[in-house]
């Protein structure tokens, strides 16, 4: 029996939740049964190249030039995808999407007779006003192009799927599975990282996320500035990169707190950092279902988050959801109160909720095989 040709599609392949999902799926799925490929319009990092090479998975980049402008990327990406479909047999294409604009790629796959076209919603909003308008226009136009639907949360499903699909629950929730053993709380590891970084006697507030509008770093800095007025031992650690990093650096400098804020940059060792933090601060404007929040809870790290983040991601009492309209002092109070609590291993809570990689991969495999049976693939 020949292998099933499975393709994971994404518009911009960088470092984030979608890439984590694809990586974990590729690592766990049976590569004797699936011939896995990854197709991306733009690739923003080479960090995972060696990983996919070791697995024997080819990454096809449709547009080699990095194009930040989504319209330019779309104009070059669509014909390149058409050429790819003409040159490669695809049994299943798993489209990992954040808005309905990219459903046009699914329309093309339908036109090219790809039998199984899965739309997987990973987000619940977009940054720019013109994108929100385009999303509202494209959603009813292209929403019927997929024939199978997955989402990381019900909020993400409502954002992207046609009204009938959402209302009739014609979709499946796929939990953002993590390697729980890598994140389980360990007192000795926490002690080691805090000693190494000279964090003893400091109150470490951390955030892991790309510097963009969605992650709301402006408000993070406002909250931390207020925190310092009451707790001078505070230290803010910002992990990640992005287009707004300079703007945030300038704000930190203008407030005179540069010695209290660490711009960590990219990190391949997020589990270690989470051990060392005292609180995770996530006042995001919107999210689908953020991996890092699940990881933080597996690590028993207290989290203060915005109530715009889906309640489906809240698994423990160590998470406090707050309104973005609440005062910064209110955020400060909750940060300090939660951060003072003793930590203990809470990974079992995350595992029982189905957020481990093993459960995610098994569910995904069942979904693919069921779809193939229905479509006689």
């Amino acid at each position: 029996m020949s292998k099933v040709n499975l393709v994971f599609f994404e518009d911009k392949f960088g470092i984030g939740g979608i890439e984590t999902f694809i990586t974990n799926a590729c690592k766990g799925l049976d590569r004797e049964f699936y011939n896995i490929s990854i197709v991306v319009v733009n690739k923003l990092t080479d960090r995972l190249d060696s990983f996919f090479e070791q697995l024997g998975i080819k990454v096809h980049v449709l547009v080699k030039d990095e194009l930040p402008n989504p319209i330019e990327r779309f104009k070059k990406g669509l014909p390149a995808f058409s050429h790819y479909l003409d040159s490669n047999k695809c049994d299943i294409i798993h489209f990992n999407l954040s808005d309905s604009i990219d459903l046009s790629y699914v329309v093309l796959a339908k036109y090219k007779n790809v039998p199984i076209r899965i739309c997987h919603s990973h987000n619940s909003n977009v940054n720019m006003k013109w994108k929100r308008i385009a999303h509202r226009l494209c959603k009813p136009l292209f929403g019927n192009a997929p024939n199978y639907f997955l989402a990381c949360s019900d909020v993400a499903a409502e954002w992207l799927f046609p009204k009938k699909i959402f209302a009739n629950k014609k979709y499946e929730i796929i939990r953002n599975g993590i390697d729980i053993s890598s994140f389980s709380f360990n007192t000795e590891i926490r002690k080691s990282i805090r000693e190494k970084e000279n964090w003893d006697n400091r109150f470490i507030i951390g955030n892991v996320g790309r510097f963009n509008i969605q992650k709301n770093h402006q408000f993070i800095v406002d909250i931390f500035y207020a925190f310092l007025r009451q707790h001078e031992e505070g230290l803010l650690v910002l992990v990640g990169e992005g287009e707004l990093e300079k703007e945030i650096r300038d704000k930190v400098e203008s407030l005179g707190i540069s010695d209290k804020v660490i711009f960590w940059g990219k990190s391949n060792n997020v589990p270690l950092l989470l051990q060392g933090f005292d609180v995770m601060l996530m006042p995001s404007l919107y999210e689908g279902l953020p991996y890092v929040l699940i990881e933080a809870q597996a690590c028993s790290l207290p989290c203060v988050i915005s109530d715009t983040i889906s309640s489906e991601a809240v698994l423990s009492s160590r998470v406090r959801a707050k309104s973005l309209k609440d005062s910064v002092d209110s955020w400060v109070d909750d940060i300090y109160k939660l951060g003072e609590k003793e930590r203990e291993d809470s990974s079992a809570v995350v595992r029982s909720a189905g957020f481990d990689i093993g459960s995610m991969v098994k569910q995904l495999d069942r979904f693919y095989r069921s779809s193939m049976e229905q479509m006689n693939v």
Side-chain angles (χ1 to χ4, degrees):
M1 179 181 173
S2 60
K3 292 184 180 182
V4 175
N5 294 308
L6 167 64
V7 175
F8 289 100
F9 177 94
E10 186 186 5
D11 176 25
K12 287 194 303 182
F13 191 92
I15 299 174
I18 293 178
E19 293 78 17
T20 301
F21 167 79
I22 293 173
T23 300
N24 289 341
C26 289
K27 186 164 51 177
L29 288 167
D30 182 2
R31 294 186 299 281
E32 292 300 315
F33 183 79
Y34 297 104
N35 176 36
I36 303 175
S37 300
I38 298 171
V39 174
V40 300
V41 182
N42 260 183
K43 187 158 82 69
L44 310 181
T45 179
D46 58 4
R47 186 174 65 91
L48 293 168
D49 287 3
S50 60
F51 169 80
F52 290 124
E53 189 175 337
Q54 288 172 6
L55 295 183
I57 295 173
K58 184 169 178 54
V59 180
H60 301 267
V61 182
L62 300 179
V63 181
K64 303 294 183 183
D65 298 331
E66 190 174 318
L67 299 175
N69 186 312
I71 297 174
E72 291 300 315
R73 196 167 59 247
F74 177 78
K75 284 165 62 177
K76 291 190 176 182
L78 203 60
F81 186 52
S82 178
H83 177 72
Y84 174 84
L85 293 175
D86 289 337
S87 307
N88 296 271
K89 181 180 182 293
C90 304
D91 298 310
I92 304 171
I93 303 185
H94 187 140
F95 291 90
N96 296 277
L97 308 179
S98 296
D99 57 62
S100 67
I101 302 167
D102 287 336
L103 282 171
S104 53
Y105 290 98
V106 191
V107 172
L108 184 57
K110 182 179 181 180
Y111 176 74
K112 297 287 186 177
N113 297 313
V114 174
I116 299 173
R117 306 172 302 279
I118 301 169
C119 173
H120 188 164
S121 179
H122 289 270
N123 219 329
S124 60
N125 212 323
V126 289
N127 290 334
M128 293 171 281
K129 184 178 179 180
W130 75 264
K131 265 197 166 186
R132 283 193 290 275
I133 294 171
H135 170 80
R136 286 196 292 269
L137 292 173
C138 292
K139 185 174 172 179
L141 288 175
F142 302 150
N144 293 321
N147 51 359
Y148 293 94
F149 297 86
L150 296 173
C152 63
S153 66
D154 287 319
V155 175
E158 185 175 19
W159 162 251
L160 186 57
F161 300 160
K163 288 182 179 179
K164 285 186 178 179
I165 296 294
F166 178 72
N168 297 319
K169 294 279 185 179
K170 297 292 186 180
Y171 62 90
E172 196 166 317
I173 296 294
I174 293 281
R175 300 296 185 196
N176 286 345
I178 65 170
D179 181 0
I180 293 176
S181 61
S182 298
F183 292 93
S184 299
F185 178 67
N186 184 297
T187 303
E188 291 304 312
I189 294 176
R190 174 174 167 80
K191 182 180 178 182
S192 174
I193 180 67
R194 289 178 72 89
E195 286 181 354
K196 179 184 176 184
E197 300 298 333
N198 295 315
W199 289 351
D200 286 337
N201 303 315
R202 305 298 296 269
F203 190 106
I204 310 300
I205 300 173
N207 177 271
V208 180
R210 184 170 178 79
F211 283 82
N212 60 20
I213 295 172
Q214 174 186 358
K215 303 302 181 183
N216 205 8
H217 284 84
Q218 291 278 355
F219 194 45
I220 290 174
V221 174
D222 289 340
I223 293 168
F224 180 66
Y225 186 63
F227 184 90
L228 287 176
R229 291 201 296 266
Q230 301 178 37
H231 311 284
E232 61 181 16
E233 74 278 17
L235 185 69
L236 177 63
V237 180
L238 301 175
V239 183
E241 296 179 340
E243 57 271 20
L244 297 183
E245 183 176 345
K246 184 181 183 304
E247 179 181 306
I248 300 304
R249 283 181 179 273
D250 290 344
K251 177 168 183 166
V252 166
E253 186 176 347
S254 70
L255 292 172
I257 56 173
S258 295
D259 61 328
K260 302 278 190 175
V261 180
I262 297 175
F263 288 85
W264 194 276
K266 292 179 185 176
S267 175
N268 292 325
N269 216 343
V270 170
L272 190 63
L273 292 173
L274 296 183
Q275 298 278 352
F277 293 169
D278 291 301
V279 170
M280 173 76 79
L281 176 58
M282 289 185 64
S284 301
L285 298 180
Y286 58 89
E287 295 279 358
L289 197 150
Y291 267 97
V292 71
L293 181 54
I294 304 303
E295 293 165 349
Q297 289 174 92
C299 193
S300 193
L301 177 63
C303 304
V304 181
I305 67 173
S306 56
D307 60 9
T308 58
I309 297 175
S310 172
S311 60
E312 297 164 75
V314 178
L315 311 177
S316 78
S317 60
R318 294 179 181 273
V319 179
R320 183 67 50 82
K322 298 186 65 61
S323 170
L324 291 172
K325 295 179 181 178
D326 287 347
S327 68
V328 290
D329 288 335
S330 172
W331 282 76
V332 167
D333 288 345
D334 282 335
I335 288 169
Y336 195 73
K337 287 175 185 175
L338 280 178
E340 287 290 284
K341 291 185 177 181
E342 288 292 320
R343 286 166 69 175
E344 56 189 23
D345 185 10
S346 59
S347 57
V349 175
V350 177
R351 183 174 282 106
S352 65
F355 282 94
D356 62 293
I357 288 178
S359 297
M360 181 194 84
V361 170
K362 286 178 183 177
Q363 183 186 2
L364 204 54
D365 182 52
R366 286 196 301 268
F367 186 87
Y368 291 154
R369 291 174 189 258
S370 173
S371 304
M372 289 163 55
E373 187 177 334
Q374 292 172 19
M375 300 301 294
N376 294 315
V377 173

